[in-house]
């Protein structure tokens, strides 16, 4: 028999059930809070945040831009100002915090914690800089007593040909040394140094923006422009190699309104070609971008530029304002979005997430960004160099561009060559060139070094031995060997280099840059680093782990992260045994 006296929420009296009194069922056992759970908003911090980011209205997609303003003004992101920003934007503090802590260039400082030193020295420790003595430089800097200065490791900063490369604040330092770094700090020279480049006036005087004018005036049709690019063989030069004309046609086929993004997040170790062109002739890129926006009828173009390229950001801000004043961008709106130190944002869907002010987490596909892209609109995504060639191809014709290639490839290629060659740099030559030819174009191997192997496509493109240096470096040529040409970043290695150390350096990069969204990449890269750090490699276990990462990772980072170690096991067994 049920004991009704134990029934929750009732009292028993003479067999009658009555509600208990004194405590309302929905009130809880404790008194209600007199304030919100968590950090209490300080009105002074709201005012300070507003003074830094400017007056509203505050747009959610601009969260990363607002965080940059606070970081630039304060040298960090104090939790109070983050709370103030959340209050201004009317979004949860957790949303601000998760974005701020995702990106490497934001320094979140909690209440009571010391602020970071005034000057940050970022020493690139990616492969080309490692070969050039980055570890020695880090040790020497660590032994220096520099007041109000911190020295940190950094992934590739896009200056592999002038390794070791360093950032002192926002100042790019080529062939860095302790004395160079100290001189800049003592002279308070921590802002970007702006290189000489061709401005709007000089570009127009040389015939620039003529092709754009022909497009806007109706002298050229969209169909004829797409046909010219397709016949010329222009492909995406950021890594995937998708035919440009076909991509434009796919986006145009989607119902508008449409948007466009330029992927300027050139973070693949060994790659610096986009920076090369942007710091010399930005308007050829901008004209190509405006032609693309016209072709797909993009209402707005977002240029996503990596934060490491501060000089480029300065150039773009100045030159975009100039071309808008000249009326050359009346058919679209151009917006620059500044990255914040996340390699994963080079993946197009992660970049779009970042453009929208979120963490750069790759999206599941389908749908593809051509269908559902920026703000869920059909979006065209092109690489900087791809757009750079468009005005010249349209002006000179498809035969001119296509005829530049060799070994069955079409067009010109900008190879970023670094490592053990005498004259590293951007080599503009025929698509389909070989590593042996690139070594010769760079003046040969450095004295005392013998060609041993090379990375054909940056950190994720695998490693091939010198005996395979006559394979054309073009899309579709290397896949059968477990490699790919990607962004055409070629790092030359010599007999002085241990391939186990090379592969470990690359895997540490991927471990650090994994966004953490999927387990195979997040845990796989961490486990791989531990296994590869052992004196004797467990080959079956590493191969099994590599296969899991390739098969199960969400995006290209995890899928390709194991390429270098797989290449070493396959092509350099003498370095593993």
């Amino acid at each position: 028999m049920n004991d009704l006296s134990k029934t929750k929420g009732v009292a028993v009296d003479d067999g009658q059930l009555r509600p208990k009194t004194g405590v309302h069922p929905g009130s809880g056992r404790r008194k209600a809070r007199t304030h919100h759970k968590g950090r209490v908003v300080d009105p002074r911090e709201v005012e300070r945040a507003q003074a830094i980011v400017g007056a509203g209205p505050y747009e959610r997609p601009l969260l990363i831009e607002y965080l940059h303003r606070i970081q630039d003004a304060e040298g960090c992101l104090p939790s109070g100002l983050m709370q103030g920003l959340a209050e201004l934007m009317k979004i949860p503090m957790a949303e601000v915090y998760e974005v701020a802590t995702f990106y490497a260039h934001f320094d979140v400082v909690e209440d009571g914690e010391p602020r970071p030193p005034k000057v940050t020295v970022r020493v690139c420790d990616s492969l080309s800089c490692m070969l050039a003595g980055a570890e020695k430089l880090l040790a020497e800097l660590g032994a220096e007593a520099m007041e109000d200065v911190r020295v940190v490791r950094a992934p590739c900063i896009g200056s592999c040909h002038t390794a070791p490369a360093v950032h002192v604040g926002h100042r790019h330092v080529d062939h860095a040394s302790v004395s160079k770094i100290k001189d800049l700090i003592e002279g308070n020279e921590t802002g970007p140094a702006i290189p000489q480049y061709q401005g709007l006036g000089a570009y127009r005087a040389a015939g620039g923006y003529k092709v754009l004018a022909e497009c806007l005036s109706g002298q050229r049709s969209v169909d004829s422009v797409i046909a010219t690019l397709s016949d010329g063989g222009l492909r995406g030069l950021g890594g995937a190699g998708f035919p440009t004309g076909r991509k434009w046609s796919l986006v145009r086929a989607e119902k508008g309104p449409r948007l466009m993004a330029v992927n300027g997040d050139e973070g693949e170790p060994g790659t610096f070609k986009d920076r090369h062109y942007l710091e010399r002739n930005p308007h050829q890129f901008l004209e190509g971008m405006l032609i693309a926006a016209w072709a797909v009828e993009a209402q707005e173009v977002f240029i996503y530029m990596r934060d490491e390229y501060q000089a480029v950001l300065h150039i773009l801000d100045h030159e975009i304002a100039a071309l808008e004043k000249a009326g050359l961008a009346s058919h679209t709106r151009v917006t620059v979005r500044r990255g914040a130190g996340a390699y994963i944002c080079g993946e197009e869907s992660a970049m779009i997430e970042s453009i929208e002010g979120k963490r750069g987490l790759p999206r599941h596909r389908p749908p593809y960004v051509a269908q559902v892209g920026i703000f869920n609109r059909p979006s065209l995504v092109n690489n900087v160099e791809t757009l750079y060639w468009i005005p010249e191809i349209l002006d000179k014709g498809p035969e001119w561009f296509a005829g530049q290639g060799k070994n069955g490839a079409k067009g010109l290629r900008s190879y970023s060559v670094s490592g053990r060659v005498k004259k590293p740099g951007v080599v503009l030559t025929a698509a389909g060139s070989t590593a042996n030819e690139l070594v010769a174009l760079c003046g040969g191997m450095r004295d005392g070094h013998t060609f041993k192997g090379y990375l054909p496509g940056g950190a994720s493109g695998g490693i091939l031995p010198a005996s395979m240096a006559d394979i054309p470096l073009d899309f579709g040529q290397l896949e059968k060997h477990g490699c790919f040409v990607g962004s055409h970043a070629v790092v030359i290695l010599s007999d002085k280099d241990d391939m186990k150390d090379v592969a470990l350096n690359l895997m540490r990069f991927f471990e650090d840059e994994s966004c953490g969204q999927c387990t195979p990449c997040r845990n796989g890269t961490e486990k791989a680093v531990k296994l590869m750090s052992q004196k004797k490699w467990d080959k079956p276990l590493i191969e099994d782990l590599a296969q899991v990462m390739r098969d199960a990772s969400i995006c290209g980072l995890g899928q390709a992260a194991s390429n270098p170690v797989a290449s070493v096991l396959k092509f350099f067994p003498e370095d593993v045994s």
Side-chain angles (χ1 to χ4, degrees), residues 90-152:
K90 305 302 180 187
I91 62 175
M93 173 60 175
E95 202 167 319
V96 177
Y97 187 85
E98 74 171 9
V99 171
T101 53
F102 182 85
Y103 295 94
H105 288 189
F106 292 141
D107 295 301
V108 176
V109 176
E110 303 290 348
D111 291 335
E113 289 184 348
R115 294 196 174 197
K118 180 181 177 181
V119 177
T120 297
V121 177
R122 300 183 188 275
V123 180
C124 175
D125 66 353
S126 290
L127 181 57
S128 296
C129 287
M130 181 193 83
L131 300 178
E135 293 297 329
K136 180 173 180 289
L137 179 60
L138 279 162
E140 291 172 349
L141 288 169
E144 293 287 330
M146 295 183 285
E147 186 177 354
D148 213 11
V149 175
R150 64 172 173 172
V151 178
V152 299

Side-chain angles (χ1 to χ4, degrees), residues 304-379:
Y304 189 87
M305 190 56 55
R306 65 187 311 218
D307 193 41
E308 289 85 349
Y309 289 1
Q310 286 292 316
V312 171
L313 287 163
H314 176 91
I315 290 169
L316 289 176
D317 285 344
H318 187 272
E319 298 306 316
I320 289 170
L323 69 85
E324 288 177 338
K325 185 177 180 181
L328 295 169
S330 58
H331 60 294
T332 190
R333 179 184 174 189
V334 182
T335 301
V336 176
R337 284 281 203 271
R338 178 180 167 191
Y343 166 76
I344 191 62
C345 290
E347 196 276 339
E348 62 179 5
S349 67
M351 176 192 65
I352 287 173
E353 290 288 297
S354 191
I355 287 172
E356 295 178 358
K358 306 171 188 174
R359 295 176 295 166
L361 300 178
R363 297 176 179 177
H364 291 274
R365 288 173 287 186
Y368 297 95
V369 300
Q371 303 163 311
V372 181
I374 309 167
F375 306 127
N376 295 323
R377 296 184 185 180
S379 301

